[in-house]
Amino acid sequence: MLAKPYHLINPTFFRTPENFVPPRTIQFRRNATTIQPIPISLPNSRVSTQEIIDEKIVAFWDYQFLFMSQRLEVPNPIKLKLIEGALPKDFPLGTYYLTGPGLFIDDYGSNIHPLDGHGYLRAFEINGPKGEVRFSAKYVKTKAQMEECDPISGSWRFTHRGPFSVLKNTKVMKNVALLTGDSCRNFKSEFDPNFKLLQKKEFNISGHSMIHDWAFTNTHYILFTNRVKLDVLGTMAAISGKAPMISALSVNHSKPTSSIYLLPRFTNNTTNCNSDEYWRKPIEAPQLWLLHVANAFENVDDDGSLRIQIHATACAYKWFNFQKMFGYNWQNDKLDPSMMNCKEGKEQRLPQLIEVTIKLDKNRKHRECSITRLNNRAKSSDFPMINPECCGYKHRFVYAAASCGSHQTLSHFPFETILKLDNLTKKVCTWSPGIRRFVGEPMFVNKGSFGDEDNGYLLVVEYVVSRRMCNLVILDAKRIGDARAVIAKFEVPKSLTFPLGFHGAWTLKQ
């Protein structure tokens, strides 16, 4: 089994060149529907893309349009237009949920970081027998969202401060999934088959650490800690409101290793596993900043030793930067895509698919850890996904969003490719939507009965920034790398175009 969290992102317009005309203020009606659509805020005047010769300018603007706010909610599902292929009749009935921030500028001129935007939940209801997909979208009604959005006029005014942005005279702070500090308090617990909690035990992780993703196997919970440190000057600036709260943190390069904690699950009575020393003492792995886990599984050798393998994505500490994530510069409210890419020769620092192997002897006293790359691509990749039927077991295929280097300026991010890695043959196959089109995280859907591991579909959102639109694309997982990979493509109305999303979930209709 694997615990896989899901996260997301959706932005707006950020100030860019000095001669750029800011977006006009638009008032939005409460509970607007697609019958009376409210368009995304766009600049009053802009240079036509046909008139732009410089590729760097095109890339800059494409990145801005990838992060646009969407204020319109769609509480009642609408039918999407089929623009390519056909939805298979045997496609499982279910819903694909995609989440992430949706608002990044209010009606009073305040801009915020993409990670501080309000949660915007999008849902694609897929019905194979009817050959249709229905779309809906709503903001998560958090306390901050209900306070910042006027229920009568529909206008927004930011009143809560997030960790990545600077806002004056606002409350601290919005609820953001960030775990850090002198000690990270976690717990290990054991459930019976009916999910009744049987045991719970707390522990502290010493030192400044951040946990972004984790996994578990039949016998262990696996926590990956990323080392951070507190910056005194940054902390003082953040408290005074002169800098974002995140300025108090930075990546800690001082130690050449990263700590991995193995917490034994309580049903396991193996010798020494339940001792405090066993699960409080971390395994030191080569330094890496773990991003997202695809799967974790284990094997017991004939001599009783245990081998745990984790497939995930990770980047170098030298690439990860709290202050520059997604290229947002809080000092001038600019969104600079170059910050998310890297200079030639530094590609090894980018997010990559990796395999973490942990070996424990039969007494679980001697522990070793090694990290290898799953493929030799120089370009970046992230948001790994497998067939969910394989979670907790050895798998063959990994899918991920990746870059192929087709963009001279944006060589590594945003992602414009879906990658399929065969762990058995190490062969890599890819699918790309085309020029000036980007993709989000892939989601695997089984065809109904589990046969071949790649016997299913991949759902992915295609962002057509050249047209300010997005589509839901359904790919045949077996045909990735083939010209016939696209099974169907559904168009989201232009007025409902939403910003870049990151994580999602697929649920079968009961």
Side-chain angles (χ1 to χ4, degrees):
M1 297 178 66
L2 172 72
K4 183 176 180 61
Y6 296 98
H7 337 272
L8 267 236
I9 285 203
N10 310 23
T12 14
F13 261 106
F14 295 82
R15 289 202 302 268
T16 43
E18 294 182 357
N19 59 351
F20 172 61
V21 179
R24 61 182 182 277
T25 299
I26 294 182
Q27 296 296 321
F28 294 82
R29 278 198 296 270
R30 182 186 182 188
N31 299 327
T33 68
T34 53
I35 298 176
Q36 296 175 315
I38 305 298
I40 293 174
S41 177
L42 294 175
N44 287 323
S45 63
R46 63 182 184 274
V47 180
S48 170
T49 53
Q50 281 117 355
E51 298 175 16
I52 298 177
I53 300 176
D54 190 341
E55 191 267 347
K56 291 184 178 181
I57 297 178
V58 174
F60 178 87
W61 281 112
D62 283 350
Y63 195 70
Q64 310 308 307
F65 281 106
L66 191 63
F67 290 86
M68 294 192 303
S69 289
Q70 173 56 278
R71 302 187 180 198
L72 181 62
E73 293 185 304
V74 190
N76 301 314
I78 62 165
K79 183 178 178 180
L80 297 184
K81 178 183 178 181
L82 177 68
I83 59 175
E84 185 177 337
L87 186 64
K89 294 292 184 182
D90 62 350
F91 195 99
L93 288 171
T95 303
Y96 171 41
Y97 294 99
L98 181 62
T99 62
L103 194 78
F104 309 94
I105 185 170
D106 67 6
D107 292 299
Y108 297 84
S110 293
N111 290 1
I112 58 176
H113 188 284
L115 292 180
D116 286 337
H118 283 283
Y120 188 65
L121 180 63
R122 290 141 282 184
F124 297 88
E125 300 175 16
I126 303 179
N127 190 319
K130 290 186 178 181
E132 66 180 32
V133 175
R134 291 186 174 273
F135 173 77
S136 58
K138 293 184 68 176
Y139 274 97
V140 179
K141 305 304 179 185
T142 62
K143 181 180 178 180
Q145 189 275 339
M146 290 187 289
E147 184 173 323
E148 293 185 352
C149 181
D150 186 278
I152 299 176
S153 66
S155 63
W156 289 74
R157 184 165 195 162
F158 295 142
T159 59
H160 288 69
R161 184 180 177 187
F164 296 91
S165 311
V166 174
L167 294 172
K168 303 298 182 183
N169 301 319
T170 55
K171 300 177 182 180
V172 178
M173 68 185 336
K174 291 180 182 178
N175 183 18
V176 177
L178 203 62
L179 189 60
T180 186
D182 284 331
S183 63
C184 299
R185 175 160 290 183
N186 289 276
F187 65 89
K188 62 176 183 176
S189 55
E190 186 63 25
F191 296 84
D192 69 8
N194 296 318
F195 298 99
K196 180 181 178 181
L197 181 65
L198 299 179
Q199 298 188 56
K200 174 180 174 180
K201 188 170 184 178
E202 294 183 346
F203 75 102
N204 291 328
I205 297 175
S206 61
H208 300 292
S209 301
M210 174 181 291
I211 300 173
H212 184 223
D213 207 349
W214 64 290
F216 62 87
T217 65
N218 290 335
T219 61
H220 288 82
Y221 299 98
I222 307 165
L223 298 181
F224 299 86
T225 62
N226 301 312
R227 299 187 184 281
V228 298
K229 61 182 179 180
L230 294 178
D231 182 278
V232 177
L233 294 179
T235 301
M236 295 176 62
I239 293 175
S240 66
K242 297 179 180 180
M245 298 295 290
I246 201 67
S247 298
L249 292 180
S250 62
V251 177
N252 188 353
H253 300 270
S254 63
K255 194 171 182 180
T257 60
S258 294
S259 297
I260 301 176
Y261 287 84
L262 290 183
L263 282 62
R265 300 180 66 179
F266 290 153
T267 53
N268 179 17
N269 295 317
T270 305
T271 305
N272 298 319
C273 281
N274 289 321
S275 67
D276 283 359
E277 181 182 359
Y278 175 87
W279 58 278
R280 290 182 186 274
K281 183 178 180 181
I283 297 173
E284 297 301 331
Q287 189 187 78
L288 58 85
W289 189 279
L290 189 121
L291 297 169
H292 300 105
V293 174
N295 192 25
F297 55 96
E298 62 185 37
N299 289 299
V300 179
D301 295 335
D302 294 338
D303 62 357
S305 61
L306 182 70
R307 182 191 301 265
I308 298 175
Q309 290 182 289
I310 305 101
H311 287 176
T313 53
C315 65
Y317 272 34
K318 291 183 178 179
W319 180 83
F320 193 88
N321 190 315
F322 285 113
Q323 317 298 323
K324 299 181 179 180
M325 281 200 292
F326 301 102
Y328 180 76
N329 187 332
W330 61 269
Q331 294 175 313
N332 57 18
D333 289 337
K334 289 184 179 181
L335 197 63
D336 183 359
S338 66
M339 296 180 183
M340 289 295 290
N341 290 270
C342 67
K343 296 180 180 180
E344 187 175 354
K346 305 294 185 181
E347 291 86 357
Q348 297 295 325
R349 299 179 178 180
L350 294 166
Q352 303 284 347
L353 286 166
I354 63 166
E355 179 178 81
V356 180
T357 301
I358 300 173
K359 298 179 182 179
L360 299 88
D361 66 10
K362 64 180 180 180
N363 295 319
R364 307 299 186 255
K365 288 186 176 181
H366 181 66
R367 302 183 289 179
E368 298 177 359
C369 182
S370 62
I371 297 175
T372 58
R373 294 181 59 178
L374 282 174
N375 66 303
N376 295 318
R377 297 178 78 253
K379 304 305 178 183
S380 60
S381 55
D382 199 1
F383 309 119
M385 172 64 59
I386 66 166
N387 184 329
E389 294 290 332
C390 295
C391 285
Y393 303 96
K394 186 175 182 178
H395 61 273
R396 177 173 177 177
F397 300 104
V398 177
Y399 309 89
S403 61
C404 64
S406 62
H407 296 79
Q408 181 178 349
T409 300
L410 306 181
S411 299
H412 307 289
F413 188 83
F415 297 127
E416 78 286 66
T417 299
I418 295 298
L419 173 153
K420 177 183 180 182
L421 170 66
D422 186 332
N423 288 314
L424 181 63
T425 65
K426 301 305 178 184
K427 180 180 179 181
V428 174
C429 298
T430 60
W431 171 82
S432 297
I435 302 299
R436 299 182 67 197
R437 298 180 181 219
F438 303 105
V439 297
E441 176 189 55
M443 177 61 58
F444 193 97
V445 178
N446 287 312
K447 281 192 174 181
S449 59
F450 186 73
D452 295 337
E453 187 182 318
D454 59 350
N455 183 34
Y457 304 101
L458 288 177
L459 304 178
V460 62
V461 173
E462 167 191 61
Y463 298 88
V464 190
V465 292
S466 59
R467 298 177 56 208
R468 320 294 184 240
M469 299 185 73
C470 53
N471 305 316
L472 176 68
V473 182
I474 300 174
L475 303 171
D476 188 326
K478 282 184 174 291
R479 296 179 182 176
I480 300 298
D482 190 311
R484 302 170 300 159
V486 177
I487 298 295
K489 187 179 293 189
F490 292 85
E491 182 181 83
V492 177
K494 191 166 188 176
S495 61
L496 300 178
T497 297
F498 49 78
L500 182 65
F502 285 106
H503 297 282
W506 166 257
T507 61
L508 286 171
K509 184 176 182 180
Q510 302 297 321

